[in-house]
């Protein structure tokens, strides 16, 4: 049977699946010889079995017993021994970091007797021992037995009021002893039994509670947000306690080997003297900058710096660290490759390349398209020199403007009505997660870069300012420097500088966008971030197998996409060219009684279309432009049935003439479809309305010839939408070829004719369709719609929330390609199309073309290009490069 418990000395950093991130890294540090307290890890598999069966896996109790004995032997103490107790912490630790989402119980092993033993260990420090005991009852009660946390808070508050003090630290040993009695009463009242005195029972129950916390509401929500699979389970680390709250020569802190907000080199972190682990992360008290530890404890500080250098050297990346100093002795409680902002990710990856630590391929794996997208967000324009309301720690960058709200519930309610809000809290805790997701930004009055608010906001890419100076928060207002800001007032927060402004500050584009646009403010040109983006984008382009085109149907969009690095247009939709003042021509076309009337309307549309195409071909001179023939049903260009019916009825009632409206109404009735998405659209329309596609083909070919005559190099590709059978395409193609031959005669213009693959039948008969197509472009929007039978206009708002909740899929298949289903159709069509025509050009132009995950899939399938909206082009370029590097599968470290 598989082992369920590993001593720290038995694991390593590659065992995250089994030992979780924390356990694997504790093992790694133990084996590096760093000062890690003794302990062991219960595997994620044990958790999975517990969650499946509702009880511990067979053999777990015995294995636990053996490891506990070994730990007791190493430490020379027994768990909960009244004379000289070993105490342990029981900590969650999943494969992926889920900060604060699951449970931890500290001081396990304390009871009415061992509390005296602990006091003796601490040199007769009764206060410390009773404080530790009351913390255990509180955490254990809340976590293991669901006792409402406020009940303990009330008791604590009551003890302080009774004594007439403000701070916990002003309570002495006798007060805390009395508090323990009060806590035990709270415990008994809510659970119906006494607080368990048996140390092993405490340990077993705490382990079970940590297992269960995998399925706490906030953990489920966080996993959904971060796309962490629901079935992984958490490991549990049982670690010998070390205490940072034994006096001024003790403390606890968090450190980063580089600045996780900007990527700057140096030592960053927070330190809290005479405090226990969770106090720093919770941001409950304001912390000291880590550098100040040098003055308090020079030896530990030097040792910490030395360990940080070793860890960076070992992990080849920014590490974050949790440590505790117990009476001048440094202990490492955790390390991991640290979370960082998008800007820091790019800057650090480029720095590590410059430092010779990693190569460019590896650097590309350290950044992501999602991070690049974040860097393309706008920032505040401070030209008007807006007054600053207050200043805090810039904990997660970005520019957020919104109305102030003071609770997660209000944030959720406001966001549901489309309002932008800033969630203002003293500090956040995991229960605030839904509000943090709903808000534009988060502002807290306490805590630093490592507080809960900061860590979670950075993970989400949400703007956050923490520890804002002198902010006094009330129920529905906050005051700062004599000013009052009420619920509903607008403020602007800058997560980069930490500044908070009253009112709405205008925003300006990011320097990364300026860089892509090619008009970077010279003052920013040497910014490490811009240089890093340039270096990594250049490498991504060199590495990529996929090219990136854009979906654009106007000249300005085409020009912008080209500046963003698009290698052509993968989808030029022509429908907007039938709107505006051209509607009237479309109406004439639809109402035409005779061939002559119809030709007349088409004849009027044709030069307008030619001008549209010429503008786009000019912008994309030398690059391919795929123009899709008109796709939507024609009635979409007509007035609504209801409006027209009312108009006609009113006119009749007034005895007015309404001939044209009546004819239009009849046409709209005739063309009405119950399922327009599955009706007369795409190629079907082209086959039914004579001359429509022919007009477009002629306009495309003539525009190309016109550009060639100007000395340009047009590369038009005509794309037929919604094809399901080769015969459809053959019919359109035969007519198109005749027109093209006639128009291009005498020029060297070449026009390709291809099709979209967006109907499942087309994917399944792609071998035949390739006979008549020079290229395929996968229309994955329709392919998803028809593959799943999901109406793309309805389902996302109607019931996807439930599907996501039930885990039927982790993300909407309209957002990220469904690899197994719709993706399989793409694979089949690509393979069978290429079997017929080896040089068949393959691309994708559905929304998935700009989705990072999907880009990797299209690379795997071997498409030639992806096409996406202009703003997503840089993201797709980066991901195309990353996909190519990842698929080589080499380890560059
Ligand atoms: C598609 O279906 O994926 C596509 C690109 O076409 P449209 O979104 O215009 O239907
Ligand atoms: Mg489509």
């Amino acid at each position: 049977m598989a082992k369920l418990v590993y001593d720290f000395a038995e694991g390593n950093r590659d065992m995250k699946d089994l030992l979780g991130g924390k356990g694997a890294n504790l093992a790694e540090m133990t084996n590096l010889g760093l000062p890690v307290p003794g302990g062991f890890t219960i595997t994620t598999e044990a958790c999975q079995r517990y969650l499946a069966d509702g009880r511990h896996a067979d053999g777990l109790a015995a294995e636990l017993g053996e490891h506990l004995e070994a730990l007791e032997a190493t430490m020379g103490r027994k768990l909960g021994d009244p004379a000289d107790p070993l105490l342990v912490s029981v900590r969650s630790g999943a494969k992926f970091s889920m900060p604060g989402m699951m449970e931890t119980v500290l001081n396990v092993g304390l009871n009415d007797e061992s509390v005296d033993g602990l006091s003796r260990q601490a040199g007769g420090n009764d206060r410390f021992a009773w404080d530790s005991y009351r913390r255990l009852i509180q955490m254990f009660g809340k976590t293991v037995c669901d006792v409402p946390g406020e009940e303990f808070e009330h008791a604590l508050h009551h003890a302080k009021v009774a004594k007439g003090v403000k701070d916990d630290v002003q309570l002495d040993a006798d007060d805390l002893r009395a508090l323990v009695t009060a806590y035990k009463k709270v415990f008994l009242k809510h659970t119906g039994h006494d607080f368990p005195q048996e140390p092993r029972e405490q340990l077993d129950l705490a382990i079970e509670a940590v297992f269960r916390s995998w399925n706490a509401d906030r953990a489920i929500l966080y996993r959904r947000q971060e796309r962490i699979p629901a079935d992984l389970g958490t490991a549990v680390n049982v670690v010998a306690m070390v205490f940072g709250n034994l006096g001024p020569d003790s403390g606890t802190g968090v450190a980063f080997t580089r600045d996780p907000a900007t990527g700057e080199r140096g030592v960053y972190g927070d330190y809290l003297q005479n405090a226990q682990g969770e106090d720093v992360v919770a941001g409950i008290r304001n912390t000291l900058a880590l550098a100040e530890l040098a003055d308090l404890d020079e030896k530990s500080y030097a040792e910490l710096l030395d360990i940080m250098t070793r860890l960076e050297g070992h992990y080849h990346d920014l590490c974050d660290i949790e440590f505790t100093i117990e009476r001048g002795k440094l202990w490492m409680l955790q390390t991991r490759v640290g979370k960082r902002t998008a800007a820091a990710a790019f800057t650090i990856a480029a720095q590590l390349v410059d430092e010779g630590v990693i190569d460019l391929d590896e650097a590309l794996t350290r950044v992501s398209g999602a991070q690049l997208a974040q860097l393309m967000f706008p920032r505040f324009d401070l030209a008007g020199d807006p007054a600053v309301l207050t200043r805090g720690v810039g904990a997660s960058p970005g520019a957020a403007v919104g109305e102030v709200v003071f609770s997660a519930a209000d944030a959720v309610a406001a966001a549901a009505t489309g309002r932008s809000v800033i969630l203002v809290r003293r500090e956040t805790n995991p229960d605030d997660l839904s509000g943090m997701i709903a808000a534009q930004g988060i502002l807290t009055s306490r805590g630093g870069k490592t507080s809960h608010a900061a860590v979670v906001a950075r993970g989400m890419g949400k703007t956050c300012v923490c520890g804002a100076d002198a902010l006094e928060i009330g129920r529905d207002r906050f005051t700062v420097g004599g000013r009052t800001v009420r619920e509903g007032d607008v403020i602007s927060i800058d997560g980069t500088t930490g500044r908070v402004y009253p009112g709405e500050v205008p925003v300006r584009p990011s320097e990364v966008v300026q860089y892509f646009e090619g008009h970077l403010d010279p003052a920013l040109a040497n910014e490490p971030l811009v240089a890093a983006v340039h270096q990594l984008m250049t490498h991504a382009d060199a590495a990529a197998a996929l090219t990136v085109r854009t979906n654009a149907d106007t000249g300005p969009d085409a020009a912008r996409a080209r500046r963003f690095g698009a290698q052509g247009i993968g989808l030029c939709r022509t429908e907007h060219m039938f709107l505006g003042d051209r509607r009237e021509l479309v109406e004439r076309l639809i109402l035409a009684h005779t061939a002559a009337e119809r030709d007349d309307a088409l004849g009027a549309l044709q030069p307008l279309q030619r001008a549209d195409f010429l503008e786009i071909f000019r912008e994309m001179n030398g690059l391919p432009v795929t123009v899709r023939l008109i796709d939507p049903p024609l009635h979409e260009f007509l007035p609504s049935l209801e409006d027209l019916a009312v108009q006609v009825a009113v006119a009749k009632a007034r005895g007015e003439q309404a001939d044209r409206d009546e004819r239009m109404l009849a046409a709209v009735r005739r063309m009405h479809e119950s399922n327009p998405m599955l009706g007369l659209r795409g190629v079907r329309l082209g086959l039914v309305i004579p001359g429509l596609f022919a007009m477009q083909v002629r306009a495309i070919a003539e525009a190309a010839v016109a550009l060639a005559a100007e000395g340009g190099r047009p590369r038009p590709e005509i794309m037929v939408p919604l094809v399901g059978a080769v015969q459809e395409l053959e019919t359109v193609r035969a007519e198109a070829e005749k027109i093209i031959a006639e128009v291009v005669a005498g020029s060297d213009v070449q026009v390709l004719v291809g099709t979209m693959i967006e109907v499942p039948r087309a994917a399944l008969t792609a071998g035949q369709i390739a006979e008549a197509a020079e290229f395929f472009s996968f229309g994955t929007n329709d392919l998803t719609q028809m593959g799943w039978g999901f109406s793309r206009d309805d389902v996302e708002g109607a019931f996807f929330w439930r599907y996501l909740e039930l885990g039927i899929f982790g993300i909407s298949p309209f957002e990220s390609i469904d690899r197994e289903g719709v993706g399989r159709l793409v694979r089949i069509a690509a393979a069978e199309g290429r079997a017929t025509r080896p040089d068949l050009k393959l691309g994708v132009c559905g929304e998935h073309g700009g989705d990072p995950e999907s880009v990797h899939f299209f690379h795997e399938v071997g498409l030639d290009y992806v096409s996406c909206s202009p703003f997503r082009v840089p993201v797709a370029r980066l991901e195309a490069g990353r996909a190519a590097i990842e698929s080589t599968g080499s380890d560059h470290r």
Side-chain angles (χ1 to χ4, degrees):
M1 203 178 61
K3 224 167 123 58
L4 297 170
V5 185
Y6 286 72
D7 188 86
F8 288 164
E10 294 175 301
N12 64 57
R13 68 171 163 179
D14 297 324
M15 295 170 71
K16 291 198 181 73
D17 283 343
L18 201 59
L19 303 181
K22 187 180 285 171
N25 287 320
L26 279 168
E28 190 78 11
M29 287 200 293
T30 301
N31 290 319
L32 279 173
L34 302 185
V36 177
F40 51 85
T41 305
I42 303 156
T43 64
T44 51
E45 215 173 284
C47 173
Q48 290 159 14
R49 291 213 226 153
Y50 174 84
L51 293 176
D53 304 341
R55 59 177 186 85
H56 280 321
D58 293 342
L60 178 62
E63 264 190 74
L64 263 176
E66 282 163 29
H67 283 269
L68 183 60
E69 258 177 45
L71 178 63
E72 288 173 337
T74 316
M75 305 300 292
R77 286 175 176 159
K78 287 203 171 311
L79 184 70
D81 179 357
D84 184 17
L86 167 69
L87 304 184
V88 294
S89 63
V90 179
R91 297 167 183 269
S92 58
K95 176 179 179 183
F96 300 106
S97 155
M98 296 170 54
M101 296 300 136
M102 291 180 295
E103 298 295 359
T104 284
V105 185
L106 303 178
N107 304 337
V108 168
L110 271 180
N111 57 23
D112 294 352
E113 293 177 348
S114 63
V115 63
D116 293 327
L118 179 66
S119 169
R120 276 193 295 281
Q121 277 173 16
N125 190 340
D126 270 357
R127 186 194 180 282
F128 158 74
W130 286 96
D131 189 41
S132 302
Y133 192 18
R134 72 97 190 160
R135 284 177 190 246
L136 170 65
I137 302 172
Q138 187 168 355
M139 267 196 220
F140 192 94
K142 246 181 94 175
T143 305
V144 182
C145 303
D146 295 327
V147 180
E150 312 85 77
E151 297 265 343
F152 294 117
E153 293 297 337
H154 287 156
L156 178 60
H157 180 73
H158 194 74
K160 285 192 280 190
V161 171
K163 175 124 185 169
V165 298
K166 263 184 85 182
D167 240 343
D168 300 8
V169 288
Q170 292 167 291
L171 297 176
D172 64 21
D174 287 337
D175 303 325
L176 291 164
R177 192 192 305 261
L179 190 58
V180 163
T181 308
Y183 274 13
K184 283 192 196 162
K185 282 194 189 132
V186 168
F187 189 94
L188 176 63
K189 182 176 120 202
H190 282 274
T191 63
H193 58 82
D194 287 328
F195 176 75
Q197 294 291 313
E198 179 53 50
R200 177 63 197 263
E201 186 189 352
Q202 289 176 4
L203 177 63
D204 290 339
L205 290 171
I207 291 169
E208 263 186 67
V210 175
F211 281 163
R212 283 198 306 270
S213 71
W214 175 256
N215 281 334
D217 289 348
R218 65 189 187 212
I220 291 173
L221 185 62
Y222 185 84
R223 284 201 292 275
R224 207 176 294 143
Q225 174 87 10
E226 298 293 314
R227 302 199 200 157
I228 296 172
D231 58 357
L232 298 179
T234 181
V236 181
N237 300 288
V238 177
V239 193
M241 283 297 301
V242 290
F243 293 97
N245 53 346
L246 276 174
D249 57 352
S250 302
T252 187
V254 192
F256 296 87
T257 56
R258 299 181 192 227
D259 186 337
T262 64
E264 242 168 83
R265 291 181 186 85
V267 174
Y268 294 84
D270 303 312
Y271 183 70
L272 203 52
Q273 207 175 3
N274 196 12
Q276 202 163 2
E278 310 309 298
D279 300 346
V280 183
V281 181
I284 287 167
R285 277 197 259 157
N286 283 336
T287 52
L288 299 178
L290 186 60
E292 293 180 55
L293 175 60
D295 302 330
L296 297 173
D297 184 345
E298 202 183 325
K299 182 177 126 301
S300 296
Y301 183 67
E303 189 184 355
L304 180 66
L305 291 199
D306 179 53
I307 289 175
M308 285 164 74
T309 309
R310 281 182 67 188
L311 285 173
E312 251 220 18
H314 187 68
Y315 284 89
H316 294 150
D317 205 347
L318 171 151
C319 295
D320 76 23
I321 290 158
E322 284 179 22
F323 66 93
T324 281
I325 297 173
E326 184 182 271
R327 292 202 191 130
K329 162 88 181 113
L330 175 69
W331 291 100
M332 303 298 291
L333 297 189
Q334 175 170 334
T335 192
R336 64 185 166 197
V337 167
K339 292 202 175 190
R340 66 206 69 184
T341 62
F346 276 83
T347 308
I348 292 171
Q351 275 169 7
L352 292 171
V353 172
D354 293 345
E355 291 165 20
V357 177
I358 59 173
D359 65 13
L360 270 167
D361 280 3
E362 174 65 21
L364 265 194
T365 68
R366 303 278 180 92
V367 294
S368 70
Q371 288 168 333
L372 182 61
Q374 271 185 38
L375 293 175
M376 292 172 70
F377 291 139
R379 294 198 326 215
F380 287 130
D381 181 353
L382 300 175
D385 209 9
V388 175
L389 189 61
T390 181
R391 236 190 147 116
V393 177
S396 180
V401 180
E403 294 170 29
V404 168
V405 292
F406 292 95
S407 74
D410 287 346
V412 171
T417 64
R419 280 153 53 215
S420 298
V421 294
I422 306 289
L423 177 62
V424 180
R425 306 280 288 155
R426 231 166 254 124
E427 67 254 340
T428 62
N429 64 50
D431 294 332
D432 291 318
L433 189 64
S434 58
M436 296 172 79
I437 293 170
Q440 295 295 304
I442 297 132
L443 171 64
T444 71
S445 59
R446 292 191 194 167
K449 272 191 184 164
T450 46
S451 64
H452 175 269
V455 172
V456 173
R458 275 203 298 278
M460 288 184 201
K462 191 137 292 192
T463 302
C464 177
V465 174
C466 282
D469 278 345
L471 206 68
E472 288 290 331
I473 301 180
R475 207 177 46 77
D476 60 356
R477 67 194 61 191
F478 69 78
T479 55
V480 58
R483 277 187 78 139
T484 299
V485 175
R486 286 168 221 283
E487 189 174 299
D489 290 351
V490 172
I491 60 169
S492 303
I493 64 170
D494 186 330
T496 310
T497 62
R499 291 199 182 97
V500 179
Y501 305 92
E504 180 178 347
V505 177
V507 284
R508 71 176 171 93
S510 77
E511 66 258 48
V512 171
V513 169
Q514 290 186 6
Y515 155 73
F516 285 126
E517 290 274 18
H519 42 73
L520 180 63
D521 178 345
L524 295 173
N526 284 329
E527 283 267 300
L529 171 61
V530 173
V533 169
H534 175 74
Q535 187 180 20
L536 295 176
M537 290 303 290
T538 308
H539 188 62
D541 288 341
L546 286 167
T547 52
V548 178
R549 296 195 194 179
T550 192
N551 295 356
D553 46 19
T554 64
D557 270 3
R560 161 173 260 211
R562 197 163 183 174
R563 291 195 297 275
F564 280 10
Q567 298 283 309
I569 289 183
L571 174 61
C572 171
R573 292 183 170 99
T574 53
E575 24 286 6
H576 89 273
M577 302 169 186
F578 289 72
L579 296 172
D581 51 9
R582 303 182 190 176
R583 249 179 211 277
E584 196 238 312
L585 294 174
V586 179
E587 288 174 9
R588 268 170 54 195
L589 173 68
I590 293 169
L591 295 180
H593 274 315
T594 63
E597 279 175 15
R598 190 184 58 231
D599 291 349
D600 205 40
L602 287 170
L605 276 166
Q606 204 251 348
L608 302 173
Q609 284 261 271
R610 183 174 50 219
D612 296 330
F613 297 134
L614 182 56
E615 186 193 356
I616 291 166
F617 292 164
R618 274 203 195 108
E619 294 294 355
M620 280 286 162
N621 187 20
L623 296 175
V625 175
T626 306
V627 180
R628 182 180 70 185
L629 303 180
I630 189 165
D631 181 22
L634 278 187
H635 63 76
E636 284 200 2
F637 302 97
L638 298 181
S640 91
L641 182 64
E642 290 81 8
D643 292 353
L644 259 183
V646 171
Q647 234 166 285
V648 169
V650 169
K652 278 192 171 160
R654 289 187 182 147
E656 294 167 3
Q657 279 289 324
D659 279 3
R660 192 164 189 283
D661 282 352
E662 275 190 68
R663 278 206 296 144
M664 183 71 81
L665 181 59
V668 171
R669 285 223 168 92
R670 196 172 59 243
M671 298 174 81
H672 177 77
E673 292 175 318
S674 298
N675 289 309
M677 271 289 180
L678 301 178
L680 183 61
R681 54 176 284 225
V683 67
R684 306 161 194 173
L685 192 67
L687 294 176
V688 167
I689 312 268
L692 181 58
F693 275 10
M695 178 277 287
Q696 289 196 294
V697 169
R698 187 173 293 278
I700 294 165
E702 286 181 0
V705 169
L707 181 60
E710 292 172 6
R713 214 162 69 78
R715 293 176 58 192
E717 302 177 342
I718 293 176
M719 180 154 80
V720 184
L722 225 74
V723 163
V726 67
Q727 293 84 350
E728 292 170 316
L729 184 60
E730 278 168 351
T731 311
V732 173
R733 185 184 181 88
E735 186 184 26
E737 274 176 347
K738 263 196 234 141
I739 297 167
I740 293 167
E742 184 190 309
V743 176
V744 304
S747 76
D748 61 357
V749 169
Q750 283 201 338
V751 185
L752 302 187
V753 177
T755 184
M756 297 192 73
I757 299 290
E758 52 184 346
V759 175
R761 189 181 189 283
L764 297 173
T765 59
Q768 293 170 13
I769 291 177
E771 306 264 4
E774 281 154 305
F775 63 88
F776 284 173
S777 177
F778 290 97
T780 46
N781 303 333
D782 271 308
L783 205 52
T784 302
Q785 165 164 267
M786 294 185 228
W788 279 88
F790 281 159
S791 161
R792 59 197 260 199
D793 298 326
D794 301 314
V795 288
E796 293 197 85
F799 63 82
F800 267 24
W801 60 272
R802 183 65 179 146
Y803 271 45
L804 291 164
E805 197 172 76
L806 291 170
I808 291 172
F809 35 64
I811 182 167
S812 158
F814 286 109
E815 200 178 321
S816 196
I817 191 90
D818 151 35
R819 286 175 173 245
E820 295 86 21
V822 177
R824 189 160 143 71
L825 289 170
V826 174
R827 273 185 201 280
I828 291 170
E832 297 190 1
R834 281 220 173 109
T836 299
R837 189 190 284 258
D839 64 348
L840 183 73
K841 209 170 3 160
L842 297 176
V844 59
C845 63
E847 282 305 302
H848 306 85
D851 167 64
E853 264 295 305
S854 310
V855 169
H856 287 244
F857 174 76
F858 298 129
H859 170 87
E860 275 169 41
V861 174
L863 302 194
D864 297 304
Y865 67 87
V866 295
S867 188
C868 56
S869 60
F871 214 70
R872 291 171 97 189
V873 165
V875 170
R877 283 167 56 202
L878 184 73
E879 290 296 348
R882 281 166 39 82
I885 282 162
E886 275 167 23
S887 68
T888 62
S890 51
D891 185 353
H892 294 270
R893 258 163 288 183

